[in-house]
Amino acid sequence: MSARLPFPYGSRIDRAKSLSFTFEGRRYEGLAGDTIASALVASGQWAMSRSFKYHRPRSVLTMAGQDANTLVQVGSEPNVLADTRALSQGLDVSAQNVAGSLDFDRDAILDKLGRFMPVGFYYRTFFGPGKNAWLKVWEPLIRKKAGLGKVDTTLPPERYEKKNLFCDVLVVGGGPAGLSAALEAADAGARVLLVDENPVLGGSLTYARFGCDLNESAALLADLTKRVRDHARIDVLVDAVANGWYADNWVPVISGRRLYKVRAREAVLCTGSLDQPVPFRNNDLPGILLGSAAQRLMRHYAILPGRRAVVFAGNRDGYRVALDLIEAGVEVAALVDPRKAQDHEALASELVAAGVKIMLGARIVEADGKRHVSSVTVRFANGASDRIACDLVAVSSVYVPTYQLALQAGAKLGYDDVTAQFSIIGLPRHLALAGSVAGHFALDTVLAEGRKAGAEAARALGFDAPAIEAPQDAERSVSNFEVPIHADPRGRDFVDFDEDLQAKDIENAVKTGYAELELVKRFSTVGMGPSQGRHSALATARIVARSTGRSVAEIGVTTSRPPFGPEKLGVLAGLQQSRFRHTSVHEHHLKAGAKMTPVGAWWRPLHYGDDSQRDAAIVAETLAVRRGVGMLDVSTLGKLELRGPDAGLFLDRYCSMNYAKQPVGKVRYCLTLNDMGAAIDDGVAFRIADDLYYVTATTGGVDRIYADMCWRNVEWGLNVDILNVTAVFSAFNLTGPKARRVLENLGGVDVSAEGFPFLEGRVGVVAGCPVRMMRIGYSGELSYELHVPQSYGATLWESLMEAGREVGLVPYGLEASRVLRLEKGHIIVGQDTDAVSTADELGMTWALAMKKPFFIGKRSVELLRRAPLKRRLVGFELPPEERNRPDESCLVIRNGEAVGHVTSTCHSPTLDKWIGLAFAPADAEEGTEIAIKARNGAMIRARVVSPHFYDAGNNRQEV
Amino acid sequence: MKIMTCPLNGPRNISEFSCFGPVHAAFDPAQVSDAEWTHYLFHHENKAGVIREWWRHTPSNYFFIAERNTVTDEIVATYGPHDRAAQGVSA
């Protein structure tokens, strides 16, 4: 490990604490506070990865986690940014995207084959040989060659969390502008959340050189940071990325394994700006980095980035970088400035005094070196060239505002011709910018603009905040470098490092006919890599603008969408709360050995007994109901109470039968249609009193029906209250020829055939439980359905089971229930219906009271009835010799065309044959045959029969 | 996530609301022609500009009317169903 620079360099490191780790199997030492990248560079190990396409060695570019050059594998975690991931003892780090080793990558030969891989080559090359060559040969090969990292599928699960945060003002970015904005807003009384992606606050104040003394900026940083930390109304999140902007200032902030969902009333973006690389030949060699990256290496980690440097300066900050390098002990061999003139003479004089040769109007055209830069070739305005030996090239050419969040929020990108920079215009309400993202550069302006934005955000919220005047930006005429980018005919002048795209690739994309930026992106993949065009957008826009004779403002950037940076799937998945509901007798089902299944939000017994005996259990439960008595937990049914003088009138309008005329004590079927006349739900209505109906709906449909009822009633304005009491009542259906005997054993309610006939309801007390009883059932047997307040559910269930013991009462599950109802020919809405099935198609014409003046869907029923019926839900059975089995959703075929489908089918234990329901052409009369195409392709001949397979005369349920 | 201001409960996340479709002037289906009825069922105006819709705040089961601009994606106004007269709109 080479010696570090002395204090005060190295603000982030602890020199007393050294850490060891391995990279590519070799042992390295670093210091606490180092990142993986800084520790490697300090040890002289610059190369960290190989590039995507040409496998060129790559190293530190931004030192800010904004490029893909430093993506490494850490243990089993792929795609870790080495320049932001903190070093810890014993880390096992390896390079990604290498064949062999980082030093000797077999695929480096690809660099020599570049001319066979022109831009967009994959769109034109991989069609052959033969069919599916892409899937079989090329795609697997390319995936292997271009893969990023290795996923460890055996990794144990990790815990990720989500948290909601609310604040008055969200400040994104903790640099000088953000710190000022936060303080001003909080001082005015606003609750502020300050978010920064770095481990410490301060932004550029922690590394950059401003137009003031270093001690002065250090004191400023300490003061601002302390005041922010101490402020009661400011919450600070560091190591936290505001990773997108969603409507109404809803900002996901990711910190480690936690996702904060931040809702801010006002937001101030102080996201700074991104230093940009410059395309010249071999501009990706290790040792060529951004000026700000060199400053970060020195100030944060006390690392001397080189011995002899060439600085490429297209702006004022390039000159400051040169001064910083000299102060730290780097020999600055030359400062190459492509502009014809500069407007910061004082800085230039300082450099000249230090012996630096300033080359105005010159450009770096090429860098040389094998694994590290060793020289650059500079071309002067007069055409002459010079080669300068160096081991460091620091590039400060132009800034691009970190526009992503602002653009996601709806702002537009403009281009400022004076500063030759992108600018952000047309900000939406409740969003403000301050600092270099807004084009402010002089420190006093930045601080004042931050305070101004903070004060204005607070004022917008009704707080009393002072009016702040920001001084004119003394560094505005920053006159950045805007020399046209000339593609080097030999290439390797990279515009996009992630995707290995050179200037000529962008030019060729335009020449190929893709003149629009979005098309250039899709054809060339520029900006599609992990850094999402942060360093390629401006250069690409300039190349496309020049190639198409338009302005940079016209070209702009491609649409900015969240996320700002990569986010782990774990962060998105987080802790998923699975919400479910248990009935009052859930434990009883479990004790009875029930196999449970989710039905909507509920858990219900599918059948009782071991899963391996499933089929036998279903048959046994079915036959128990047919021969003795069974009980089904129907607590999940939707239950509604309609109360009020207009309750009957409301039901008359809402459902298809007559309810206003229904006598008290009677139970009536309810079919609900939509405006199109399609059946959408069903249930029953028990008129308990003149002004009280107890109405059931399907388990899955009740929430929608309840909402729809309430909405209709807002429009209709009837005098009725509608209450969803689904969770209030438990309900059990006792069914089978011996059902009456069970209730007689308990007493309390007259359950005789004369005293309590079919389709009637009673309110009474059974086994000490207040019950609402209805003589209804799904199975076709003698049935009583008992509804009790759910707190009585367990008591009633136990009492019924006890009273039924002598007649062999068994609980049965959903599977047996489905068999029983199919034998009887009852439909399940949603299974035997679809989005357009009408009551006439379903054979339920009896359920339509067409004499009523109005009910939902009536108008459509009338209209549809003027055309002949096209299809019907029919019953079918298979001949005994048929070996193939139909399944639900198998097609009904006629003359080679699909004319319907199977909606329900099963083997009937009671009738010992295969039965089912299917949509078939309306002329498929009983006694004819339909053809059903089985899953295995076989055609099944099925006989059309009445859908009431069992007890069509209702002799069993009405006893 | 967008925020919608419920006339009863104040500003809430849009995930707490569901839309119940455009507000129509009340009419008797029996009094309209087949063509008018099918137009009502199947032809949606899909207007670019400010539209009026029924919305429900799900947790409180409160129904109200929202006016929103389909071009700018702004919720222009929300008010209770009985405030329509106050908004100068005939029921």
Side-chain angles (χ1 to χ4, degrees):
Chain A
M1 190 168 61
S2 60
R4 304 265 180 146
L5 293 164
F7 185 82
Y9 290 105
S11 59
R12 297 207 178 153
I13 52 168
D14 178 357
R15 290 162 205 264
K17 201 171 162 196
S18 89
L19 300 169
S20 66
F21 67 106
T22 61
F23 178 65
E24 290 287 279
R26 203 175 304 161
R27 205 181 129 93
Y28 290 89
E29 294 284 327
L31 297 172
D34 260 330
T35 63
I36 294 169
S38 69
L40 285 172
V41 169
S43 307
Q45 175 62 47
W46 281 78
M48 285 170 207
S49 68
R50 290 273 176 170
S51 72
F52 178 70
K53 192 163 147 189
Y54 301 128
H55 286 251
R56 292 164 66 92
R58 291 277 166 83
S59 183
V60 165
L61 176 66
T62 62
M63 269 316 279
Q66 300 300 320
D67 61 280
N69 284 4
T70 66
L71 286 176
V72 293
Q73 178 101 18
V74 177
S76 54
E77 185 181 1
N79 301 321
V80 173
L81 286 162
D83 54 350
T84 55
R85 174 62 61 89
L87 189 66
S88 57
Q89 176 66 29
L91 276 190
D92 168 26
V93 185
S94 52
Q96 296 183 162
N97 202 32
V98 295
S101 72
L102 178 62
D103 281 354
F104 300 98
D105 185 339
R106 289 192 302 274
D107 287 344
I109 186 72
L110 288 168
D111 196 16
K112 305 280 187 267
L113 302 176
R115 66 196 172 94
F116 301 113
M117 298 186 281
V119 62
F121 72 109
Y122 34 77
Y123 291 132
R124 303 182 291 212
T125 308
F126 300 117
F127 293 108
K131 209 179 148 194
N132 290 336
W134 168 253
L135 286 175
K136 284 183 192 154
V137 181
W138 300 114
E139 203 262 352
L141 178 75
I142 291 167
R143 189 158 297 285
K144 202 168 155 220
K145 290 291 174 217
L148 285 176
K150 289 187 185 68
V151 173
D152 182 354
T153 53
T154 65
L155 206 65
E158 292 176 330
R159 190 182 170 87
Y160 289 83
E161 296 173 332
K162 290 177 180 156
K163 183 175 179 178
N164 290 306
L165 286 180
F166 301 88
C167 59
D168 292 329
V169 180
L170 169 69
V171 179
V172 181
L179 292 168
S180 309
L183 282 169
E184 199 64 39
D187 281 345
R191 285 179 309 124
V192 176
L193 178 68
L194 175 63
V195 173
D196 195 284
E197 62 179 345
N198 296 292
V200 294
L201 292 174
S204 58
L205 276 176
T206 65
Y207 63 85
R209 186 185 186 97
F210 289 91
C212 61
D213 180 66
L214 189 63
N215 292 328
E216 212 175 300
S217 60
L220 176 68
L221 170 62
D223 173 57
L224 286 174
T225 309
K226 184 178 183 327
R227 278 164 60 206
V228 163
R229 288 284 184 191
D230 291 348
H231 207 297
R233 280 188 294 275
I234 301 179
D235 285 320
V236 177
L237 285 177
V238 289
D239 270 328
V241 184
N243 217 28
W245 187 97
Y246 295 85
D248 292 333
N249 284 340
W250 204 55
V251 179
V253 176
I254 298 170
S255 183
R257 291 185 194 155
R258 182 176 283 183
L259 170 66
Y260 294 95
K261 298 189 231 178
V262 179
R263 175 74 78 180
R265 296 168 72 193
E266 297 285 327
V268 182
L269 303 181
C270 305
T271 47
S273 48
L274 295 164
D275 216 355
Q276 296 289 300
V278 172
F280 52 81
R281 185 166 160 79
N282 297 329
N283 63 339
D284 62 332
L285 273 174
I288 302 176
L289 37 74
L290 298 175
S292 55
Q295 289 175 316
R296 284 176 211 256
L297 280 173
M298 296 186 288
R299 294 262 165 238
H300 293 165
Y301 308 107
I303 293 169
L304 200 62
R307 299 281 165 201
R308 185 177 156 89
V310 171
V311 176
F312 185 100
N315 59 18
R316 186 189 307 262
D317 282 345
Y319 284 64
R320 291 178 173 153
V321 168
L323 285 169
D324 275 349
L325 288 170
I326 291 165
E327 271 179 21
V330 181
E331 178 195 350
V332 175
L335 184 139
V336 182
D337 186 341
R339 299 170 297 177
K340 289 188 181 70
Q342 41 79 11
D343 56 357
H344 34 78
E345 193 50 45
L347 286 170
S349 309
E350 259 189 88
L351 284 172
V352 170
V356 176
K357 202 187 295 175
I358 295 177
M359 301 170 174
L360 275 178
R363 293 191 293 136
I364 295 179
V365 292
E366 181 173 2
D368 273 306
K370 196 160 161 48
R371 294 185 187 282
H372 199 94
V373 64
S374 60
S375 71
V376 292
T377 305
V378 177
R379 182 163 300 151
F380 302 102
N382 62 10
S385 298
D386 193 9
R387 194 172 164 129
I388 306 168
C390 60
D391 63 353
L392 170 67
V393 179
V395 177
S396 290
S397 61
V398 59
Y399 291 105
V400 166
T402 313
Y403 53 69
Q404 287 80 356
L405 294 184
L407 262 51
Q408 287 164 21
K412 301 273 172 285
L413 203 63
Y415 190 73
D416 185 332
D417 286 320
V418 176
T419 58
Q421 284 206 131
F422 280 132
S423 56
I424 297 169
I425 50 178
L427 283 171
R429 290 188 305 156
H430 311 298
L431 189 73
L433 306 177
S436 68
V437 69
H440 312 130
F441 285 92
L443 187 55
D444 57 343
T445 309
V446 167
L447 294 169
E449 289 285 350
R451 290 180 56 210
K452 188 174 157 190
E456 278 170 8
R459 248 200 320 278
L461 296 169
F463 294 105
D464 196 16
I468 291 161
E469 278 299 314
Q472 192 82 29
D473 188 345
E475 296 182 11
R476 176 173 155 72
S477 60
V478 63
S479 60
N480 289 292
F481 152 70
E482 201 193 7
V483 175
I485 299 160
H486 294 290
D488 192 304
R490 298 165 299 164
R492 303 300 181 263
D493 46 348
F494 292 98
V495 169
D496 188 323
F497 287 64
D498 300 12
E499 302 279 339
D500 267 357
L501 288 166
Q502 309 147 89
K504 68 176 179 186
D505 293 330
I506 308 298
E507 288 185 347
N508 286 339
V510 176
K511 278 184 199 152
T512 313
Y514 301 99
E516 298 308 319
L517 188 64
E518 294 282 359
L519 298 178
V520 171
K521 170 177 172 176
R522 279 149 186 77
F523 183 68
S524 68
T525 71
V526 65
M528 288 191 187
S531 58
Q532 289 287 291
R534 276 170 215 150
H535 303 108
S536 60
L538 177 61
T540 304
R542 283 179 176 173
I543 294 170
V544 174
R546 194 168 53 87
S547 304
T548 59
R550 287 176 290 177
S551 70
V552 176
E554 277 177 274
I555 302 298
V557 293
T558 54
T559 305
S560 189
R561 298 183 182 90
F564 172 66
E567 46 196 35
K568 289 189 173 185
L569 293 176
V571 167
L572 300 182
L575 281 178
Q576 297 288 355
Q577 307 280 353
S578 57
R579 298 197 178 113
F580 52 84
R581 302 169 86 173
H582 286 170
T583 74
S584 60
V585 288
H586 186 80
E587 294 302 322
H588 295 70
H589 298 321
L590 295 183
K591 267 184 221 149
K595 162 80 179 166
M596 305 299 285
T597 187
V599 178
W602 296 91
W603 283 91
R604 295 191 68 177
L606 202 54
H607 59 80
Y608 293 81
D610 193 70
D611 213 18
S612 62
Q613 303 297 311
R614 176 180 174 276
D615 290 349
I618 295 165
V619 170
E621 288 172 19
T622 306
L623 294 178
V625 171
R626 292 279 179 240
R627 292 170 189 168
V629 58
M631 187 154 66
L632 180 69
D633 179 7
V634 292
S635 302
T636 66
L637 275 179
K639 306 168 205 84
L640 305 165
E641 272 189 9
L642 276 67
R643 198 187 287 263
D646 289 340
L649 178 58
F650 180 89
L651 268 184
D652 268 358
R653 292 174 67 85
Y654 197 81
C655 299
S656 66
M657 294 180 79
N658 282 307
Y659 307 95
K661 291 181 197 157
Q662 175 183 341
V664 170
K666 292 278 187 192
V667 174
R668 194 158 281 176
Y669 182 68
C670 291
L671 184 67
T672 306
L673 309 181
N674 61 14
D675 278 331
M676 288 196 300
I680 56 168
D681 206 74
D682 68 348
V684 295
F686 168 21
R687 189 167 198 175
I688 292 177
D690 262 342
D691 62 350
L692 175 61
Y693 291 79
Y694 183 64
V695 179
T696 66
T698 61
T699 299
V702 63
D703 286 342
R704 185 172 62 143
I705 292 298
Y706 171 62
D708 192 56
M709 277 186 174
C710 294
W711 174 55
R712 302 274 183 175
N713 199 37
V714 172
E715 286 209 302
W716 296 343
L718 296 177
N719 191 356
V720 56
D721 277 338
I722 305 160
L723 208 58
N724 185 349
V725 292
T726 300
V728 177
F729 287 94
S730 290
F732 312 124
N733 197 288
L734 191 69
T735 183
K738 293 175 183 166
R740 182 170 288 138
R741 178 68 180 274
V742 179
L743 290 169
E744 281 169 352
N745 286 347
L746 285 172
V749 173
D750 176 6
V751 292
S752 66
E754 309 73 37
F756 190 176
F758 185 58
L759 286 183
E760 294 213 351
R762 297 288 179 270
V763 174
V765 177
V766 170
C769 307
V771 292
R772 293 173 174 184
M773 287 172 72
M774 294 181 274
R775 271 215 45 197
I776 53 163
Y778 217 27
S779 67
E781 301 294 338
L782 168 65
S783 304
Y784 298 86
E785 195 162 291
L786 294 87
H787 292 235
V788 282
Q790 64 94 19
S791 55
Y792 287 89
T795 305
L796 183 63
W797 179 269
E798 286 161 15
S799 304
L800 287 166
M801 289 305 293
E802 181 60 33
R805 190 196 303 243
E806 53 121 358
V807 287
L809 171 62
V810 295
Y812 68 100
L814 212 47
E815 291 279 19
S817 173
R818 284 172 182 157
V819 171
L820 289 161
R821 70 90 199 177
L822 184 56
E823 290 178 340
K824 183 63 185 167
H826 287 311
I827 63 158
I828 298 178
V829 174
Q831 174 162 339
D832 301 301
T833 65
D834 58 24
V836 291
S837 44
T838 64
D840 290 341
E841 291 177 349
L842 299 171
M844 296 172 75
T845 301
W846 55 267
L848 304 178
M850 295 302 286
K851 285 184 184 153
K852 285 194 293 186
F854 172 85
F855 61 89
I856 296 168
K858 183 186 179 214
R859 181 72 176 81
S860 292
V861 171
E862 289 168 342
L863 200 157
L864 286 165
R865 280 185 173 175
R866 274 181 253 138
L869 198 62
K870 281 194 187 134
R871 61 168 191 171
R872 283 190 310 127
L873 191 69
V874 301
F876 69 84
E877 60 180 42
L878 301 192
E881 67 278 9
E882 178 63 58
R883 286 286 147 259
N884 291 300
R885 301 292 173 230
D887 274 312
E888 282 152 15
S889 81
C890 281
L891 294 177
V892 176
I893 306 284
R894 182 188 276 184
N895 302 327
E897 298 280 326
V899 290
H901 67 276
V902 175
T903 62
S904 293
T905 183
C906 74
H907 180 263
S908 161
T910 313
L911 306 169
D912 192 22
K913 60 185 174 189
W914 275 84
I915 58 173
L917 298 173
F919 276 111
D923 61 7
E925 299 288 341
E926 283 175 29
T928 65
E929 277 192 344
I930 53 171
I932 297 167
K933 191 174 183 183
R935 290 262 167 85
N936 63 5
M939 295 300 286
I940 299 169
R941 311 294 308 177
R943 204 160 64 88
V944 177
V945 295
S946 160
H948 307 293
F949 305 95
Y950 178 74
D951 187 30
N954 290 340
N955 297 316
R956 299 182 65 87
Q957 70 184 11
E958 294 178 15
V959 290
Chain B
M1 189 187 314
K2 264 191 117 52
I3 286 180
M4 183 176 243
T5 301
C6 172
L8 191 65
N9 301 285
R12 312 290 307 170
N13 282 348
I14 196 84
S15 60
E16 291 186 13
F17 298 88
S18 51
C19 182
F20 275 68
V23 177
H24 294 285
F27 68 96
D28 180 358
Q31 302 300 315
V32 300
S33 70
D34 288 352
E36 284 168 315
W37 179 246
T38 48
H39 191 274
Y40 164 77
L41 287 181
F42 300 112
H43 291 78
H44 292 266
E45 205 182 352
N46 206 18
K47 184 176 142 189
V50 176
I51 58 169
R52 299 174 68 234
E53 290 171 320
W54 284 106
W55 282 77
R56 177 196 190 209
H57 181 244
T58 311
S60 64
N61 194 37
Y62 179 73
F63 286 87
F64 60 94
I65 293 168
E67 293 181 8
R68 63 184 186 93
N69 189 324
T70 56
V71 178
T72 61
D73 193 26
E74 282 170 304
I75 298 165
V76 180
T78 55
Y79 43 88
H82 305 298
D83 304 340
R84 271 182 284 182
Q87 296 286 329
V89 182
S90 57

